Amino acid sequence: MRDKSGNLPVAAIVGGAALVVALAVVVALFGGRGVTAAAPPLGDPQVQHTLAETPAHTTHDLTINAVWADRPLRADAEDQVPVEELPVFDAVLGYAPHAAPPVDRDYRAHVRVELEVVEKVMELADGVEYRFWTFGGSVPGPMVRVREGDYVTFTLQNHPSSLFPHNIDLHAVSGQGGGAEATLVSPGQQATFSFTALNPGVYVYHCATAPVGMHIANGMYGLIVVEPKEGFPAVDREYYVMQGDFYTKGDFGERGFQEFDMMRAIDEDAAYVVFNGRVGSLTGDNALQAKVGETVRLFVGNGGPNLTSSFHVIGDVFDRVWVEGGAMVNRDIQTTVIPAGGAAVVEFDTNVPASLTLVDHAIFRAFNKGAIGSLVVTGDEDHVVYSGRVDIRPYDPEAKAGH
Amino acid sequence: MTRLAATLLALAALAALSGAGAEAAEPAPSAMVQVPGGEVALLFPVEGEDLVTVAPFAIDATPVTNAQFLAFVRAHPEWARGAVPRVFAGEAYLAHWGEDGGLGTADPDAPVTNVSWFAAAAYCEARGARLPTEAEWELVARAGERLTDGYLEPGYRERVLALVTGRAAVPGPVGRGEVNAYGVRDMHGLVWEWVFDVGAAMNTADSRAVGDRRLLLLCGGGSTGASDTSDYAAFLRYAFRSGLSGDYAGGGLGFRCAS
């Protein structure tokens, strides 16, 4: 093919190069692995590249969102009923670790809720006292549980013994400050407002009076659960757990009365990271309980004020996680992220007896700051699912090498 | 009996009588401290005004006590509990006093609480004085142990926060708490205190924005536009004031006068 000067004509060079490229493409596409699954060439406009259509992948179920994800809000006939004609109920609250009872009606109602703010000294750990600011006298505050579309009348009461004003911001509320604007109460006052629970989900509530970080850091948070209209699937056990970080002048475990440390809070240098307001709230005699074969649901909130939780249960896998407390359900999850001021719901089916350990898997928080709790599962063994130790004997590397 | 013994006996009797009749005796008038005035940065500066200028004034060294307020009520019975209209003093007005209109078990030397803004203002007026303005009160409150600008003292904000959060549910007697660089006592450790323009931080010239400024204290909005986001005691104080109305009377709220 060379011309008189010995140079290859351009056409030959181009042709040769094209051949090499084509060969490279073929090798890349087909060489080195089985030809059973040939991915269409990238950039080919005729082919949609979606996971569901790529034969090489087993289809991950993309329709993992719960039924209530895409339904329009307030579109049903019951949502048009005037408020005055709704049946009226007083809310039944759930005090942690017990969840509020499931909503047992399938119609819209007017629910009345009263929460009292009490400032009180309680134990943050054995021998460690702290002045908590609380909803309902406990940290976390009680769980409120209503149905999507309910009209809720909320009264916040500030005990006369309080030194400080308080209010409440419920993350389920659409409206100014989540209700904070309507509920600022000085000691010895109460205030009332109403809202419609537009969105289903699991939501944090907290005090929002300045300085907000201090009010939250002192324990003013809880959960409000808005069940979708068709309700949650039934389970055998429900529990209510809420993580929080605490900032004291003394370090973890330092006995005596501990004051809030503002600079540590600003630096996010927590002395305590605990479930349900104190070290040991879910351990020993306070451990949660379940039986083998039961489905357990944990409503897990994170009041913060600062730290995100890497929530994990040692010894089991979350069969279902309602991501961030919303409509999206993820499956087979080991550890789920719960943001400060957020929540998640985890469900697991218990298979074997065990003492399961709830932790924030940012692990020093679990073992050095108190973010640890227990769920004791009792019942029959299943040695195929988990055998326990079947053998123990001395190990000699020399003997092994001789084989 | 010798004359000396008789004199001593008479003096002792007189002292005992005075002790027993302490409620009826006129309490000592409040000592006032002269404050040279100056410039104060409010927690929420009004637009264009970083600092508020305060003219020289005098302020009570300690909060007004139960005994002092009782003398006022005795002299002005229209301010007795039950006599004053509800709009000027809420239901908790003087709730910690005795049923007979006296002090009951209340400590005469403790700061008077459960008094509304109207009652506090009337007391000061009867004395020829007035309530301090918010700027005046904040100027005095800003003083540390040694310096009139407490921010220049290390640990000042933490000390003030500890004083505020460590208050007793029932305040003790005045005059024994922290004293600041001006010589004024008990600004933080006993009670919240009324000021004349209690809603000042919440008001602007544009009345449509009044609601908005109040919202600054809620839901983190309070950190935007605040002059010092680490002065938590100031946030607590401003938040407390923002929830007050003139008729409010509470167990943690008292006052002192200025002139």
Side-chain angles (χ1 to χ4, degrees):
Chain A
M1 284 198 282
R2 294 180 190 268
D3 64 17
K4 285 192 284 241
S5 333
N7 296 322
L8 282 170
V10 172
I13 294 170
V14 171
L19 193 61
V20 170
V21 168
L23 275 172
V25 168
V26 170
V27 168
L29 289 176
F30 301 108
R33 61 182 165 104
V35 192
T36 48
L42 294 173
D44 185 327
Q46 303 301 327
V47 181
Q48 286 287 341
H49 283 274
T50 60
L51 285 171
E53 295 178 50
T54 308
H57 303 269
T58 41
T59 348
H60 258 257
D61 181 0
L62 279 184
T63 56
I64 57 178
N65 300 331
V67 174
W68 37 290
D70 287 318
R71 181 186 54 224
L73 301 174
R74 287 174 99 203
D76 298 328
E78 63 173 355
D79 297 306
Q80 318 315 320
V81 170
V83 165
E84 308 79 58
E85 296 174 25
L86 293 173
V88 181
F89 297 103
D90 288 322
V92 177
L93 306 175
Y95 287 84
H98 303 290
V103 172
D104 62 352
R105 61 185 150 84
D106 59 0
Y107 51 89
R108 179 166 165 250
H110 179 171
V111 181
R112 295 189 297 216
V113 181
E114 280 185 1
L115 276 190
E116 183 191 56
V117 173
V118 177
E119 298 166 10
K120 61 196 274 199
V121 174
M122 298 189 286
E123 279 204 327
L124 176 55
D126 285 342
V128 182
E129 288 193 317
Y130 186 83
R131 188 179 287 106
F132 294 91
W133 300 347
T134 74
F135 288 106
S138 61
V139 177
M143 177 189 285
V144 180
R145 194 159 179 171
V146 298
R147 181 174 176 267
E148 174 193 353
D150 278 349
Y151 184 77
V152 181
T153 293
F154 194 100
T155 297
L156 187 68
Q157 304 154 328
N158 193 356
H159 198 272
S161 67
S162 296
L163 296 178
F164 304 97
H166 298 286
N167 60 12
I168 191 167
D169 167 7
L170 301 112
H171 287 182
V173 170
S174 296
Q176 187 65 47
E181 177 267 348
T183 53
L184 183 67
V185 281
S186 302
Q189 282 191 331
Q190 66 178 54
T192 303
F193 79 108
S194 294
F195 67 95
T196 293
L198 292 176
N199 297 77
V202 179
Y203 300 95
V204 168
Y205 66 75
H206 63 87
C207 180
T209 309
V212 181
M214 185 174 177
H215 283 254
I216 297 175
N218 284 343
M220 298 197 75
Y221 42 77
L223 285 185
I224 172 168
V225 174
V226 182
E227 291 201 27
K229 293 197 175 191
E230 57 272 5
F232 296 144
V235 294
D236 299 298
R237 306 258 177 180
E238 288 185 330
Y239 285 113
Y240 170 29
V241 176
M242 197 144 188
Q243 181 171 326
D245 18 299
F246 286 87
Y247 300 85
T248 53
K249 286 258 181 329
D251 288 323
F252 178 85
E254 206 171 295
R255 298 175 81 87
F257 181 83
Q258 291 295 332
E259 279 177 4
F260 168 72
D261 188 322
M262 180 186 75
M263 286 317 301
R264 285 185 83 154
I266 292 173
D267 290 341
E268 305 190 21
D269 171 23
Y272 295 83
V273 183
V274 296
F275 298 123
N276 293 357
R278 65 154 292 155
V279 174
S281 66
L282 299 177
T283 61
D285 291 337
N286 300 322
L288 306 178
Q289 306 285 333
K291 297 206 180 74
V292 169
E294 290 185 332
T295 301
V296 179
R297 173 183 295 147
L298 304 181
F299 294 95
V300 189
N302 185 0
N306 289 324
L307 303 181
T308 294
S309 178
S310 307
F311 188 72
H312 173 83
V313 172
I314 303 174
D316 211 322
V317 178
F318 301 142
D319 294 286
R320 290 164 297 284
V321 173
W322 307 1
V323 176
E324 297 173 347
M328 187 182 301
V329 178
N330 207 349
R331 300 187 196 282
D332 308 315
I333 297 299
Q334 66 199 290
T335 299
T336 192
V337 180
I338 311 180
V345 178
V346 303
E347 291 180 359
F348 46 96
D349 309 313
T350 58
N351 306 102
V352 294
S355 182
L356 306 179
T357 309
L358 285 64
V359 295
D360 181 339
H361 215 291
I363 208 68
F364 278 89
R365 298 176 194 173
F367 296 112
N368 291 79
K369 298 193 178 182
I372 195 164
S374 285
L375 193 157
V376 176
V377 181
T378 51
D380 293 335
E381 307 270 357
D382 182 340
H383 292 290
V384 176
V385 170
Y386 180 79
S387 71
R389 185 169 63 205
V390 296
D391 175 80
I392 186 162
R393 68 180 70 174
Y395 170 65
D396 179 2
E398 300 296 313
K400 184 178 168 188
H403 281 50
Chain B
M1 192 188 284
T2 64
R3 285 228 324 237
L4 176 61
T7 312
L8 286 174
L9 199 65
L11 279 171
L14 191 63
L17 269 176
S18 306
E23 277 195 358
E26 276 291 321
S30 293
M32 295 190 94
V33 170
Q34 289 296 328
V35 179
E39 287 185 319
V40 58
L42 299 177
L43 187 64
F44 293 97
V46 180
E47 282 168 17
E49 297 174 31
D50 285 340
L51 298 172
V52 175
T53 305
V54 178
F57 64 103
I59 194 166
D60 286 351
T62 51
V64 172
T65 64
N66 281 312
Q68 290 168 331
F69 200 80
L70 177 67
F72 162 73
V73 169
R74 290 258 155 85
H76 303 267
E78 70 273 18
W79 283 103
R81 188 178 182 194
V84 63
R86 236 335 140 250
V87 69
F88 289 135
E91 224 177 282
Y93 181 58
L94 298 178
H96 63 301
W97 283 12
E99 288 298 325
D100 60 347
L103 292 187
T105 54
D107 182 348
D109 297 321
V112 66
T113 56
N114 291 316
V115 283
S116 64
W117 181 91
F118 295 101
Y123 172 94
C124 293
E125 203 183 335
R127 237 180 65 186
R130 56 176 175 78
L131 283 171
T133 64
E134 183 175 67
E136 288 171 337
W137 200 97
E138 287 290 323
L139 180 74
V140 175
R142 176 71 171 254
E145 292 170 346
R146 299 173 288 108
L147 306 173
T148 53
D149 184 355
Y151 282 2
L152 300 175
E153 294 179 4
Y156 164 80
R157 290 177 192 74
E158 284 85 343
R159 275 196 301 280
V160 175
L161 184 63
L163 284 168
V164 171
T165 57
R167 284 182 194 153
V170 177
V174 307
R176 311 212 188 143
E178 79 280 7
V179 59
N180 69 18
Y182 290 116
V184 179
R185 275 194 186 271
D186 298 325
M187 288 293 283
H188 301 289
L190 280 183
V191 288
W192 303 111
E193 296 186 6
W194 284 110
V195 294
F196 178 74
D197 48 345
V198 71
M202 304 306 115
N203 291 324
T204 66
D206 182 351
S207 61
R208 287 172 302 154
V210 167
D212 295 336
R213 285 197 69 84
R214 188 159 173 279
L215 295 174
L216 285 179
L217 284 173
L218 308 177
C219 288
S223 64
T224 65
S227 60
D228 188 316
T229 54
S230 66
D231 190 342
Y232 274 26
F235 274 109
L236 290 169
R237 194 159 70 229
Y238 277 76
F240 185 82
R241 285 190 206 125
S242 77
L244 294 175
S245 55
D247 63 333
Y248 173 78
L253 174 59
F255 70 102
R256 70 182 73 208
C257 301
S259 67

